[in-house]
Amino acid sequence: MTEAKPRISVVMCAHNEQERLPSCLEKVSFADEIIVVCDKCTDQTEEVAQKYGAKTVVGSWDIEGARRNRAIEEATGDWIFELDADEHVSEELAISIRSAVRSDAFDLYVVPVDNYVGKRLVRYGWGASFGTSAVWRLFRKGHKNWGSQRVHPSFDMQGRKGPKLNGALLHFVDRNISDMICRLDSYSTARAADLRESGNIGTFANNFRRIFSRFYRCFVARKGYKEGGMGFLIALFGALFPILSYLKARYEDS
């Protein structure tokens, strides 16, 4: 008797993504199932997702980790591939995903990311709170669980960690520099809420020191200098994220 091939579920959380969703979902024909969690949507996100055969879950979540866990819970596949609406799966990555789940050698795989600002591919300088060059997105169901933070939630992984997949996840991070500034503002606001809720917002001195260590890490250690002014901006925004989050937690109302 022929053994049934593993089923792959693509899971996604979306907020008002009717414009970007079609081009994203067109790239996941390798999936046996698509789950789209529609969070506080006021546009046609749900209808667009259903047009592409997705199962939709509608609701309102303030915690990113809870929203992502709900998407995983709804999946019925043996394997989960997490995706965002501003990301596209390259053909090479799709082939690599199918090969990985067929091999059954590991439980979790890290996925390379190509980040774009507008039409420009920015390869260097990403890291920590403002972007990353690799993500753990493919895993056997039950082997990854998200934490309870509002932004950049932590996650627990269990099982055999596999190698980096071939191909890349194309991430269209921001349309322009104004979008980058808006993202820094919204991310630091969400992080401030997490800090207040934790009861430990840290100290000014420690977060001030992190400006320099984080800038060095992004601009020098991760070679952001190769991107010129764009690399400088990414390093600057990454460096400012902790101190802005602290100041908002300290001086602004929730």
Side-chain angles (χ1 to χ4, degrees):
M1 184 173 65
T2 303
E3 186 177 350
K5 69 175 183 177
R7 296 180 68 253
I8 304 172
S9 296
V10 167
V11 303
M12 173 190 301
C13 300
H15 169 69
N16 290 348
E17 292 287 3
Q18 65 177 22
E19 300 298 329
R20 296 194 290 190
L21 208 52
S23 59
C24 173
L25 295 182
E26 286 170 358
K27 307 297 192 300
V28 294
S29 59
F30 62 87
D32 299 290
E33 174 187 60
I34 302 172
I35 307 293
V36 177
V37 170
C38 304
D39 182 24
K40 306 182 186 73
C41 292
T42 57
D43 65 355
Q44 301 299 307
T45 294
E46 182 181 12
E47 289 80 359
V48 171
Q50 291 173 347
K51 179 182 176 181
Y52 285 86
K55 173 185 175 182
T56 56
V57 180
V58 178
S60 176
W61 291 266
D62 293 325
I63 306 298
E64 181 181 348
R67 182 169 64 241
R68 291 186 178 275
N69 283 333
R70 177 62 186 276
I72 293 171
E73 289 167 5
E74 292 291 332
T76 63
D78 306 289
W79 285 83
I80 307 294
F81 184 79
E82 293 179 302
L83 188 63
D84 291 333
D86 59 357
E87 299 170 339
H88 292 176
V89 176
S90 67
E91 290 185 13
E92 185 180 5
L93 177 58
I95 293 170
S96 187
I97 290 170
R98 289 193 294 265
S99 176
V101 302
R102 284 197 300 267
S103 74
D104 201 38
F106 302 97
D107 302 306
L108 310 109
Y109 290 90
V110 66
V111 177
V113 180
D114 281 348
N115 295 291
Y116 288 81
V117 177
K119 295 181 179 179
R120 174 174 174 170
L121 173 60
V122 181
R123 290 194 178 278
Y124 298 98
W126 300 101
S129 59
F130 216 69
T132 182
S133 58
V135 286
W136 292 95
R137 291 290 188 84
L138 178 65
F139 54 95
R140 201 185 302 271
K141 188 170 183 181
H143 288 259
K144 181 180 178 183
N145 185 69
W146 289 92
S148 59
Q149 294 80 22
R150 289 172 174 81
V151 64
H152 303 308
S154 59
F155 55 84
D156 295 322
M157 298 188 302
Q158 298 177 348
R160 301 162 295 172
K161 295 181 181 179
K164 186 179 292 186
L165 297 181
N166 297 321
L169 187 63
L170 311 182
H171 185 199
F172 300 95
V173 188
D174 297 301
R175 292 171 298 179
N176 48 41
I177 293 173
S178 293
D179 268 4
M180 295 173 71
I181 295 170
C182 291
R183 186 158 62 94
L184 175 62
D185 182 43
S186 63
Y187 278 14
S188 56
T189 296
R191 176 59 178 160
D194 283 339
L195 290 173
R196 283 192 297 265
E197 193 171 278
S198 73
N200 180 19
I201 67 171
T203 65
F204 177 82
N206 182 58
N207 284 289
F208 182 77
R209 285 193 295 269
R210 294 176 73 188
I211 294 175
F212 305 98
S213 61
R214 287 169 68 97
F215 184 90
Y216 178 87
R217 190 180 308 128
C218 291
F219 196 66
V220 179
R222 297 191 176 119
K223 302 180 181 180
Y225 60 85
K226 289 189 173 183
E227 303 291 351
M230 190 61 70
F232 173 83
L233 281 176
I234 291 169
L236 177 63
F237 292 161
L240 290 175
F241 176 73
I243 189 67
L244 283 176
S245 301
Y246 164 80
L247 291 171
K248 288 182 178 183
R250 175 70 175 81
Y251 295 109
E252 292 185 346
D253 295 329
S254 59

